[in-house]
Short mmCIF file of all heavy atoms in Angstrom, two decimals:
data_model
loop_
_atom_site.label_atom_id
_atom_site.label_comp_id
_atom_site.label_asym_id
_atom_site.label_seq_id
_atom_site.Cartn_x
_atom_site.Cartn_y
_atom_site.Cartn_z
N ALA N 1532 -51.10 -1.97 38.31
CA ALA N 1532 -51.85 -1.72 39.56
C ALA N 1532 -51.58 -2.84 40.57
O ALA N 1532 -51.62 -2.63 41.80
CB ALA N 1532 -53.32 -1.56 39.28
N LEU N 1533 -51.31 -4.04 40.03
CA LEU N 1533 -51.15 -5.24 40.83
C LEU N 1533 -49.75 -5.23 41.39
O LEU N 1533 -49.42 -6.00 42.38
CB LEU N 1533 -51.30 -6.50 39.99
CG LEU N 1533 -52.63 -7.17 40.19
CD1 LEU N 1533 -52.61 -8.44 39.31
CD2 LEU N 1533 -52.96 -7.55 41.56
N SER N 1534 -48.80 -4.45 40.84
CA SER N 1534 -47.41 -4.53 41.32
C SER N 1534 -47.22 -3.41 42.40
O SER N 1534 -48.08 -2.63 42.77
CB SER N 1534 -46.49 -4.17 40.15
OG SER N 1534 -46.47 -2.75 39.92
N ASN N 1535 -46.01 -3.45 42.98
CA ASN N 1535 -45.64 -2.41 44.03
C ASN N 1535 -44.77 -1.37 43.45
O ASN N 1535 -44.29 -0.50 44.17
CB ASN N 1535 -45.01 -3.08 45.20
CG ASN N 1535 -45.95 -4.13 45.82
OD1 ASN N 1535 -45.81 -5.27 45.64
ND2 ASN N 1535 -46.96 -3.65 46.58
N GLN N 1536 -44.52 -1.40 42.16
CA GLN N 1536 -43.66 -0.47 41.47
C GLN N 1536 -44.24 0.92 41.40
O GLN N 1536 -45.54 1.01 41.26
CB GLN N 1536 -43.31 -1.01 40.10
CG GLN N 1536 -41.91 -0.71 39.61
CD GLN N 1536 -41.77 -1.28 38.21
OE1 GLN N 1536 -42.19 -2.39 37.95
NE2 GLN N 1536 -41.14 -0.54 37.40
N GLN N 1537 -43.39 1.99 41.43
CA GLN N 1537 -43.92 3.30 41.19
C GLN N 1537 -43.73 3.62 39.72
O GLN N 1537 -42.69 3.31 39.08
CB GLN N 1537 -43.10 4.37 42.00
CG GLN N 1537 -43.65 4.62 43.33
CD GLN N 1537 -43.24 5.95 43.91
OE1 GLN N 1537 -43.14 6.94 43.17
NE2 GLN N 1537 -42.92 6.04 45.14
N PHE N 1538 -44.76 4.23 39.04
CA PHE N 1538 -44.68 4.57 37.67
C PHE N 1538 -44.75 6.06 37.43
O PHE N 1538 -44.78 6.47 36.32
CB PHE N 1538 -45.76 3.81 36.87
CG PHE N 1538 -45.56 2.30 36.88
CD1 PHE N 1538 -46.17 1.53 37.82
CD2 PHE N 1538 -44.80 1.71 35.90
CE1 PHE N 1538 -45.98 0.15 37.88
CE2 PHE N 1538 -44.67 0.31 35.93
CZ PHE N 1538 -45.25 -0.45 36.92
N GLY N 1539 -44.95 6.81 38.51
CA GLY N 1539 -45.12 8.26 38.34
C GLY N 1539 -46.56 8.76 38.58
O GLY N 1539 -47.31 8.06 39.31
N LEU N 1540 -46.90 9.76 37.85
CA LEU N 1540 -48.22 10.36 38.01
C LEU N 1540 -49.32 9.32 37.86
O LEU N 1540 -50.34 9.33 38.64
CB LEU N 1540 -48.41 11.42 36.91
CG LEU N 1540 -49.81 12.17 36.88
CD1 LEU N 1540 -49.90 13.09 38.02
CD2 LEU N 1540 -50.04 12.92 35.56
N ILE N 1541 -49.15 8.34 37.01
CA ILE N 1541 -50.16 7.34 36.74
C ILE N 1541 -50.56 6.53 37.93
O ILE N 1541 -51.62 6.00 38.02
CB ILE N 1541 -49.72 6.46 35.53
CG1 ILE N 1541 -50.93 5.66 35.06
CG2 ILE N 1541 -48.64 5.59 35.92
CD1 ILE N 1541 -50.60 4.74 33.94
N ASP N 1542 -49.61 6.48 38.93
CA ASP N 1542 -49.92 5.72 40.20
C ASP N 1542 -51.26 6.21 40.82
O ASP N 1542 -51.96 5.43 41.38
CB ASP N 1542 -48.78 5.93 41.17
CG ASP N 1542 -47.49 5.25 40.61
OD1 ASP N 1542 -47.58 4.16 39.97
OD2 ASP N 1542 -46.44 5.78 40.85
N ASN N 1543 -51.54 7.49 40.70
CA ASN N 1543 -52.74 8.05 41.26
C ASN N 1543 -54.02 7.54 40.50
O ASN N 1543 -55.04 7.36 41.12
CB ASN N 1543 -52.68 9.59 41.19
CG ASN N 1543 -51.60 10.11 42.08
OD1 ASN N 1543 -51.57 10.01 43.27
ND2 ASN N 1543 -50.52 10.57 41.36
N TRP N 1544 -53.82 7.31 39.17
CA TRP N 1544 -54.95 6.79 38.39
C TRP N 1544 -55.12 5.31 38.71
O TRP N 1544 -56.22 4.81 38.94
CB TRP N 1544 -54.64 6.97 36.92
CG TRP N 1544 -55.76 6.54 35.95
CD1 TRP N 1544 -55.74 5.44 35.12
CD2 TRP N 1544 -57.01 7.15 35.78
NE1 TRP N 1544 -56.89 5.38 34.45
CE2 TRP N 1544 -57.69 6.43 34.81
CE3 TRP N 1544 -57.66 8.28 36.41
CZ2 TRP N 1544 -58.99 6.77 34.40
CZ3 TRP N 1544 -58.98 8.63 35.90
CH2 TRP N 1544 -59.58 7.86 34.99
N LEU N 1545 -53.97 4.57 38.84
CA LEU N 1545 -53.98 3.13 39.16
C LEU N 1545 -54.61 2.84 40.49
O LEU N 1545 -54.94 1.69 40.77
CB LEU N 1545 -52.62 2.59 38.92
CG LEU N 1545 -52.03 2.71 37.56
CD1 LEU N 1545 -50.59 2.11 37.53
CD2 LEU N 1545 -52.88 2.06 36.50
#
Side-chain angles (χ1 to χ4, degrees):
L1533 261 181
S1534 81
N1535 297 104
Q1536 214 180 318
Q1537 273 201 39
F1538 295 91
L1540 178 73
I1541 192 180
D1542 295 323
N1543 297 289
W1544 184 250
L1545 299 179

